[in-house]
Amino acid sequence: MISQSRAPLYEALLKMKEQISFHVPGHKQGNFFDREGIKDFGGILYLDQTELPGLDDLHHAESVIKEAEELARDAFGAGGTKFLVGGTTAGILALLLGVKAETIGVQRDSHKSVFNGLKLARKKGLLLPPVIDDLSLLPKGVNIKILLSLLADHKMNALFLTSPNYYGYATSLHEVVFAAHKEGIPLMVDEAHGAHFKFHSSFPPTALQQGADAVVQSIHKTLPAMTMASMIHWQGKRIGWKGVKEWLSAIQSSSPSYPLLASLDLARRHLVLYGEEAFERAMKEMRRLRERLKSLPWLQVVENDDPLRLVLLLPEGWGQRLKEHLESLRIFLEMVTPYHLVFVFTPGNTAEDYDKLWRALTSFSLPSLKARFPKQIPYPMEIWGKEKVIAFDSLPREKRKISLEEAVGKRAGEMIIPYPPGIPLLLEGETVEKEAMEWLFAWRREGNSVYGVYDDQIYIYDE
């Protein structure tokens, strides 16, 4: 048994320093690199290796990568773990392609990668409506009552949920797990924003702790790993893991990044050794900030489930203005809507970071607008509130562009995705309703990005 204080993959990479290289990559440990860029990249390029003796192979792990994954398995409480260098997206796609199911229940407010997975797998998606929080007016998880009814009526063969979501709301999964497993249905969870839950008792229980069959986590989002570095965990035998692993090899590069893989190895070691105390320090700072924020009458702190995901509810139209104010002070946040600001905190934020944010908020010059908190749901629940099936296995082939003004009543030819957070407003094949267009125009007026809109035109299917 290897000690959790070891980092076997990282340690193997250290032995590769100052080798004579007649193999890829072409920069030859930084000897052939941009003269200015080497000042910043030089310290890590010797770790950028290929599948040399002693470094193992991600797609057929037998030594140091296998050992690193086994250590991660034990640290995260899984039955098995694979490292991902294609982000959580790679794990989601592999699960949806590999699971044996024709109709998969998915949250309507899932990330776009879930719907891309259904399309690639040519499977049907049973769309499950979310519950909307009364105060924040944000989706706070799947509607459990509707989901349990659909499970009892045998409307799906597999289930794919998101918890926690982008706004820090986590779904209690115990009842769902019991009902799904009673019907022999596997539960898969996009836990991209909750990889840190395992490492402090103040966080909600993880999906694995609640009995989920498979979980995909973006280690890089809230834990000390490099961007795109993720993990997929599983337990039990309700999903055919051989097929999922085969799809992972097909989806991910045959030349995976060793710096990314090593950052997963090191993140796991750091979390096991120092995670609890690091998160305790972070939560102490967050409690202090949340208490301070109570003195600002023009905002409300959303009471979500993740203590380190700060979501502020603002008067209508103030979101973009406050974002611009913060950015002018070199403070960048995760996301803005016309009504909300979303901040992601980790132990990597210093006490000075918290103080600077507080000072920036108190120096905000309030717009000369009446402070009206939103009363209408800032999401198109006319669309999201209905459970329905999208047949991703039988979408039409021919599509054409038309203006946004002409689109109402037509079938969307691709996903229309406000970004961030990457949750589709409209899915490919959905009918474009008037309420969706009104929401889209309001979102764009605030200067936000929308994927799938091209110079005020979108693709629609010719019927």
Side-chain angles (χ1 to χ4, degrees), residues 24 43 48 73 110 179 234 270 288 332 410:
V24 298
D48 187 26
R73 174 201 66 195
S110 296
W234 64 86
H270 188 77
R288 179 167 169 260
F332 297 88
K410 308 290 195 304

Side-chain angles (χ1 to χ4, degrees), residues 23 44 60 64 69 74 87 90 118 139 148 172 184 188 200 238 258 269 324 337 344 437 448:
H23 55 76
I44 197 172
H60 189 68
V64 291
E69 289 176 335
D74 296 342
L118 290 172
L148 294 177
S172 177
M188 300 164 282
H200 196 281
R238 293 181 182 84
Y258 272 89
R269 181 173 74 176
E324 291 170 357
T337 79
V344 177
M437 283 297 100
N448 295 304

Side-chain angles (χ1 to χ4, degrees), residues 165-170 290 301-311:
N165 68 9
Y166 205 82
Y167 308 104
Y169 290 107
R290 287 176 182 265
V301 177
V302 173
E303 295 298 325
N304 54 15
D305 301 302
D306 183 351
L308 293 182
R309 182 65 55 110
L310 180 66
V311 181

Side-chain angles (χ1 to χ4, degrees), residues 288-302 310 312-315 318 322 325-326 341 343 354-366 371 373:
R288 179 167 169 260
L289 176 61
R290 287 176 182 265
E291 191 61 32
R292 282 174 152 185
L293 291 173
K294 292 179 182 179
S295 67
L296 300 180
W298 49 272
L299 62 78
Q300 296 178 27
V301 177
V302 173
L310 180 66
L312 302 181
L313 177 64
L314 304 168
W318 287 20
L322 182 50
H325 169 69
L326 294 175
L341 296 184
F343 301 80
Y354 287 85
D355 287 338
K356 283 183 176 179
L357 175 59
W358 168 246
R359 291 195 298 270
L361 291 172
T362 56
S363 68
F364 179 50
S365 296
L366 303 183
F373 285 93

Side-chain angles (χ1 to χ4, degrees), residues 242-315:
K242 184 177 183 297
V244 173
K245 290 176 184 178
E246 288 174 354
W247 277 113
L248 279 176
S249 291
I251 290 167
Q252 297 197 104
S253 171
S254 59
S255 301
S257 166
Y258 272 89
L260 295 190
L261 295 171
S263 77
L264 288 170
D265 197 18
L266 291 171
R268 180 271 315 156
R269 181 173 74 176
H270 188 77
L271 289 163
V272 171
L273 298 181
Y274 311 110
E276 186 170 1
E277 85 179 73
F279 280 113
E280 183 60 39
R281 286 196 306 271
M283 268 178 296
K284 181 180 178 182
E285 292 292 343
M286 178 56 79
R287 286 192 293 267
R288 179 167 169 260
L289 176 61
R290 287 176 182 265
E291 191 61 32
R292 282 174 152 185
L293 291 173
K294 292 179 182 179
S295 67
L296 300 180
W298 49 272
L299 62 78
Q300 296 178 27
V301 177
V302 173
E303 295 298 325
N304 54 15
D305 301 302
D306 183 351
L308 293 182
R309 182 65 55 110
L310 180 66
V311 181
L312 302 181
L313 177 64
L314 304 168

Side-chain angles (χ1 to χ4, degrees), residues 399-404 413-417 440 444 450-460:
K399 59 180 77 173
R400 60 187 173 91
K401 274 185 184 178
I402 63 171
S403 69
L404 291 173
E414 62 180 85
M415 288 190 282
I416 308 300
I417 309 170
L440 177 60
R444 295 179 78 210
V450 181
Y451 295 1
V453 177
Y454 309 93
D455 296 326
D456 295 323
Q457 292 184 312
I458 64 171
Y459 281 100
I460 58 111

Side-chain angles (χ1 to χ4, degrees), residues 28-158:
K28 304 295 180 178
Q29 297 185 303
N31 292 322
F32 179 49
F33 206 77
D34 181 81
R35 294 180 181 181
E36 183 179 353
I38 193 66
K39 292 182 291 187
D40 293 307
F41 281 82
I44 197 172
L45 288 177
Y46 78 93
L47 296 173
D48 187 26
Q49 296 288 351
T50 189
E51 289 84 352
L52 299 173
L55 293 187
D56 209 354
D57 185 331
L58 175 64
H59 301 296
H60 189 68
E62 295 181 309
S63 58
V64 291
I65 293 179
K66 180 182 178 183
E67 292 169 354
E69 289 176 335
E70 288 174 346
L71 287 169
R73 174 201 66 195
D74 296 342
F76 284 87
T81 293
K82 285 294 295 179
F83 287 177
L84 305 174
V85 293
T88 290
T89 294
I92 288 172
L93 296 181
L95 279 173
L96 292 170
L97 285 160
V99 69
K100 293 181 179 179
E102 295 180 0
T103 301
I104 302 178
V106 299
Q107 284 175 232
R108 179 57 184 82
D109 56 325
S110 296
H111 187 264
K112 65 174 183 175
S113 57
V114 174
F115 301 110
N116 281 329
L118 290 172
K119 183 179 178 181
L120 286 171
R122 297 185 60 78
K123 293 176 179 176
K124 295 181 175 66
L126 172 58
L127 307 184
L128 307 170
V131 172
I132 299 299
D133 182 69
D134 292 336
L135 174 63
S136 70
L137 306 181
L138 291 169
K140 58 182 298 185
V142 69
N143 188 313
I144 299 293
K145 183 178 180 181
I146 292 175
L147 171 56
L148 294 177
S149 174
L150 292 170
L151 281 169
D153 290 342
H154 307 99
K155 297 293 187 181
M156 65 194 83
N157 315 112

Side-chain angles (χ1 to χ4, degrees), residues 417-428:
I417 309 170
Y419 215 89
I423 298 170
L425 168 67
L426 287 167
L427 296 174
E428 188 172 351

